[in-house]
Amino acid sequence: MTEAVKAPVMADVARLAGVSHQTVSRVINGSPSIKPETRKRVLQAIERLGYRPNTAARALVRGRSGMIGIIGTARTLFGPTSIHRSVEDAARAAGYFATSVSLSEVTRRALDDANDHLMRVGVEGIVMIAGHDEALEVVRKQRSGVPFVVVEGDLSKASLSVGVDQVLGARMATEHLLKLGHREIVHVSGPLNWAEARARVEGWRLAMSEAGLRPAEPVHGDWSSASGYAAGLRIYGMSETTAVFAANDQMAIGVLRALHERGRRVPEDISVVGFDDVPEAAYLIPPLTTIEQDFEAIGRRAIDVITQAINGDALQPSPLVIPKLVVRQSTAPPTGTST
């Protein structure tokens, strides 16, 4: 019978690194008093042995739970789901346990229940992924007793917040089309009770205005491909339109389908830009030009902010994450022009 391999303990790390177990403990807990060469030696021993610190035991010693709560909404949408995952990953990387509550609807009662649940399990802070106005209003009035960080939405309504520069992302999308020579650019917006949808409308309008153009009213969607398809059918009837900026990739996919069915070629007859850079975007026909959001950076910043608040550190303003334009084959100069 094979003898079970014994997992390494702190004493093994101390022996290999040639230090005391108290020094190993201080390195694990991030003490600033450790000399750099000693810290390096201890970390090398930890890696070599495959030692895994007991986070629960450390939490008991410090008198803290080491737990972060995450309240998620709209888990069927790519953006909120990606942010939720990135916050969980960043929390684990920072040494926290992450426990999540997903809300099917955002009401005062639902949020109070989620908050009570997280407080009962002893979280040290809560990250709320809130995109639409109802969620943000509930969060603004919430009194949880622990630091509460809001990700997404109208960040001006929360004292602790992290997000992407949505206005800049929409400007990037629109300016890309303008540089190609487009002047009649229709925007398919998300639901306007979402702050991101309003910010993307604002960025589109700013870019059009600065180009000396007066944009028409957006065609409204609800983030779904079905609403994008309905918008695409309307846009087909707008004979002067040469480009479409959709507020997310799902709606852009619906637009592409509607235009294809009606015989308008992308990008030869009309260009299309999305927002989010979903994994499928590069594999559509044609591959979709879109705006990429750095969800991993959002997760890291959310955990950085909540860690500062938990530790009572002076809070530094968290700058908005800068999005990135990803150019693919769904955009080109309008027919009859050159760039």
Side-chain angles (χ1 to χ4, degrees), residues 130-134 136 152-157 164 166-167 190-203 223:
H132 50 83
D133 293 347
E134 292 84 352
L136 290 164
E152 287 196 301
D154 185 349
L155 304 180
S156 66
K157 294 185 178 181
V164 171
Q166 305 289 339
V167 174
L192 297 184
N193 63 338
W194 286 67
E196 278 92 348
R198 294 195 301 275
R200 294 171 195 177
V201 170
E202 179 184 352
W223 300 128

Side-chain angles (χ1 to χ4, degrees), residues 100-112:
S100 299
V101 177
S102 294
L103 304 182
S104 57
E105 60 176 353
V106 180
T107 63
R108 164 70 67 176
R109 181 172 181 177
L111 185 56
D112 283 345

Side-chain angles (χ1 to χ4, degrees), residues 109-141:
R109 181 172 181 177
L111 185 56
D112 283 345
D113 288 346
N115 183 71
D116 290 345
H117 168 76
L118 293 173
M119 295 302 291
R120 282 197 303 272
V121 300
V123 299
E124 296 186 56
I126 296 173
V127 176
M128 174 72 175
I129 302 167
H132 50 83
D133 293 347
E134 292 84 352
L136 290 164
E137 187 60 25
V138 170
V139 168
R140 192 173 65 83
K141 296 177 180 177

Side-chain angles (χ1 to χ4, degrees), residues 107-337:
T107 63
R108 164 70 67 176
R109 181 172 181 177
L111 185 56
D112 283 345
D113 288 346
N115 183 71
D116 290 345
H117 168 76
L118 293 173
M119 295 302 291
R120 282 197 303 272
V121 300
V123 299
E124 296 186 56
I126 296 173
V127 176
M128 174 72 175
I129 302 167
H132 50 83
D133 293 347
E134 292 84 352
L136 290 164
E137 187 60 25
V138 170
V139 168
R140 192 173 65 83
K141 296 177 180 177
Q142 186 68 23
R143 298 293 181 265
S144 65
V146 299
F148 210 107
V149 174
V150 170
V151 181
E152 287 196 301
D154 185 349
L155 304 180
S156 66
K157 294 185 178 181
S159 57
L160 299 177
S161 60
V162 175
V164 171
D165 193 332
Q166 305 289 339
V167 174
L168 176 60
R171 289 177 64 110
M172 288 176 170
T174 310
E175 287 170 358
H176 167 66
L177 294 168
L178 290 167
K179 288 175 182 176
L180 289 172
H182 296 280
R183 292 297 178 265
E184 295 292 335
I185 303 170
V186 170
H187 179 50
V188 181
S189 80
L192 297 184
N193 63 338
W194 286 67
E196 278 92 348
R198 294 195 301 275
R200 294 171 195 177
V201 170
E202 179 184 352
W204 164 70
R205 282 182 170 151
L206 284 171
M208 294 289 282
S209 177
E210 289 173 4
L213 302 171
R214 172 178 280 184
E217 283 300 303
V219 177
H220 300 299
D222 63 8
W223 300 128
S224 71
S225 295
S227 72
Y229 177 80
L233 294 179
R234 287 185 58 187
I235 291 166
Y236 168 74
M238 302 176 184
S239 59
E240 299 298 316
T241 298
T242 63
V244 179
F245 163 43
N248 75 343
D249 288 349
Q250 272 77 22
M251 292 193 297
I253 289 169
V255 170
L256 290 174
R257 172 64 182 270
L259 294 175
H260 173 73
E261 287 185 354
R262 292 299 185 270
R264 292 195 73 179
R265 299 168 302 162
V266 177
E268 293 86 353
D269 301 326
I270 188 166
S271 289
V272 178
V273 179
F275 203 110
D276 278 339
D277 196 22
V278 299
E280 301 83 4
Y283 302 97
L284 299 171
I285 301 175
L288 182 65
T289 295
T290 186
I291 300 295
E292 175 189 304
Q293 302 189 76
D294 190 343
F295 295 117
E296 291 185 6
I298 296 170
R300 290 193 300 270
R301 290 192 186 183
I303 295 303
D304 286 345
V305 169
I306 209 163
T307 298
Q308 291 176 41
I310 290 169
N311 293 337
D313 298 336
L315 292 173
Q316 303 297 320
S318 180
L320 293 175
V321 175
I322 303 301
K324 174 186 174 183
L325 173 68
V326 181
V327 179
R328 298 193 178 102
Q329 285 74 56
S330 67
T331 52
T335 303
T337 65

